[in-house]
Amino acid sequence: MIASANTSQGTTERRVVYRTRGRQHGPVTRLMSPSDLGEVLRPFVFLDHFDTAGGSTANFGLHPHSGIATATWIMEGHVSYEDTTGETGIIPTGGLEWMQAGGGVWHGGSFGDSPRIRGFQLWLALPPDLDWDRRKAST
C-alpha cells in the first residue's frame, strides 16, 4: 500500500510498512503495544482506540500507573476520571486530557451515560528525569 502526502515541495509517496486491526478487549482495541510497534516507536508505548457502539459501557476501577504519561482524546461522548491525588473531572467531546503518572498514581474512570463513546489513548514512556515526578494532569 502506498500513501501520498501533498507538501509545499510536491507529492511525497511513502510505503505503509505496518497495518493492524489490533486486539480487542471489550470496547478497547489495542492498536500498538510494547510487543509490536511500541518497542520500535519509543517513547510511544501503547495506542488504544475505544468505541462503545457495541453497547459495552464498562467502568474502569482504580488501577495503578507509574513511569508513563497518557494523552486521552474523546471524539464522541464524554468520559469521567478520578485518581488517588483527589483529581476528578470529565473529558468532553473534543477534549484532551494529559496525565503524567510519574512515580505512581491509582486512577479510574467511567464511560458515563453517553449513548456512544469514541476516542483514543496514547501511552508514552517518561524520560528518566520525569519517571519519579509527582502526578500531573490537565484537560
Side-chain angles (χ1 to χ4, degrees), residues 39-102:
E39 182 64 33
V40 179
L41 296 175
R42 279 186 77 75
F44 306 111
V45 180
F46 294 107
L47 176 60
D48 294 337
H49 171 258
F50 46 91
D51 187 345
T52 63
S56 177
T57 56
N59 291 330
F60 295 97
L62 288 175
H63 55 279
H65 287 283
S66 65
I68 58 102
T70 59
T72 306
W73 177 49
I74 305 301
M75 299 172 3
E76 183 177 345
H78 61 273
V79 174
S80 65
Y81 62 90
E82 65 176 327
D83 68 38
T84 52
T85 68
E87 290 285 329
T88 63
I90 294 176
I91 310 169
T93 298
L96 176 70
E97 185 220 15
W98 171 262
M99 183 198 66
Q100 184 174 312

